Amino acid sequence: MSLPPVLRREDFRLVMTGGFGDHTCRIAQAMAWFRGALYVGTGGRSLNPLGLSDAALERLGPLARAALLRGQAGAADAAPGGASIWRLTPDDGRWTKVFQTPMVEIAGRPVPRDRNIRASLVMTEPDGAEALYFGVSAMKGRLRLIRTQDGLTFDEAPVTGLGLPEGSDVPSIRTLLAADGSVFTSPVGMIEGRGMLDDNMSAFPMVFRASHPFASDWQAVSLPGFGDPDNLSVNEMAALEGWLYAGTLNIRSGAQLWRCPMDDLRPARWEQVFRAGADLGPAASIVSAMLPFQGRLYVATGLQRQGKTGIDRYGPVGGEVLRIDPSGRWDLVCGQNRATSAGWKPPLSGLGASFGMSTARGVWHMAEYGGRIYAGGADWRMFQSYLPPPGSRLPVSAIATMRARHAAYQGGFPLWASDDGITWQVVTSDGFEANPETGGARFLQASPCGLFLGTSSTGRTAALGGVQVWQAGEGVHV
């Protein structure tokens, strides 16, 4: 059976822009198709500059703290809008807000209780009813799970923070996975610890299982960090051919991938698929996306923040994509050919990092649509922090090239497609329009109405900022 034509750049049309009327609504990190409608979970800025917790802000010292707060106070988006969920009905192209985080008082000021939505799941519950779940990331406090069965009204799970003791630092999750009669997730972010909610580091880098998201039977089925203290979170999970896979963040030696048989989920049964960023090292510090496709698992890795200051003091570095066979053997799809502990690994596609696109930081999300993989990424030029600081030891020519590329950036992101997971083509290298505040394809959602793509935005200005949703295919009237 032949596949439909691959989507082209001109096939995508804008179905929502400007952050649903709030340019501080910056990111669509969770989407789902449920009961004939598209659901988009969004998020905005944090309470403090750079997403820092109060404790982390305090550690900066009075001068740095005052400078950051002054800069934030003068910003156009000084008041965060918090987490929300929007519903698009295909018959009339109408957007409806179906969830808005409540306001609470923190330090004497009213603020949104929750910052963003980072995980979604459609599953059949034990009683046979289909339900849509979202993981709601706390601005302060703990992760909450919410559920809808009718698509309009949401209930909140009676258990917060995955059942961990009260006071545990569990603000967020990035993934919800239903497989083999159970649901799986893992905490990410640290409010009271390192200090950045959107960081993927966690105080509990473990895989948790429950009978369903609203159950009270959450329990860890892996050791913390799989026994490696340098594994700082379990960032992505997938299920394939009777195995549960989990990818880690490890900024010291590189990301790891582990798997465990579904019929024997216990800490002692996990086995390592690859280590040290598949032997690339810390330049592949995180597993950023996973997708089962044609009987194999595709795994994207990359450098978490990549910048010239902070923890990751190098980059920009492109991301890689690996393919995992049912036996656990891995091959390099795109990336740097190299000798590894599993032998010599050339890229099957013949393409280097980020499918040979020098300005792409890697793959953020993948989805199957029309029998193909679509992979969306981000452009490193969106972030000025990637530029070498004064006094850099890089060659003058390299600094000049990076600065010239950054200056030439007019916004946009890469999107790739593949029929077989080996031969890839570029759908777009710079998004679908010239918008200097849109720099990432954050989520891809397949549906009977086409492929939807949600973006990330800087949210700096009301004119250009705010999350966007694009759609390619038929069935939505706009």
Side-chain angles (χ1 to χ4, degrees), residues 298 323 333 348-351 355 373 418-424:
Y298 288 77
R323 189 183 72 179
V333 174
L348 300 178
S349 67
L351 299 172
F355 301 106
I373 300 179
S418 177
D419 297 359
D420 57 9
I422 296 177
T423 303
W424 292 79

Side-chain angles (χ1 to χ4, degrees), residues 410-471:
Q410 296 298 313
F413 48 83
L415 178 65
W416 303 277
S418 177
D419 297 359
D420 57 9
I422 296 177
T423 303
W424 292 79
Q425 57 185 300
V426 178
V427 178
T428 179
S429 60
D430 56 359
F432 308 123
E433 65 171 2
N435 184 334
E437 295 199 32
T438 299
R442 193 60 194 86
F443 204 97
L444 300 167
Q445 178 62 52
S447 82
C449 289
L451 181 67
F452 291 92
L453 184 152
T455 69
S456 64
S457 168
T458 63
R460 286 191 296 259
T461 68
L464 297 173
V467 65
Q468 298 177 336
V469 179
W470 295 80
Q471 182 251 344

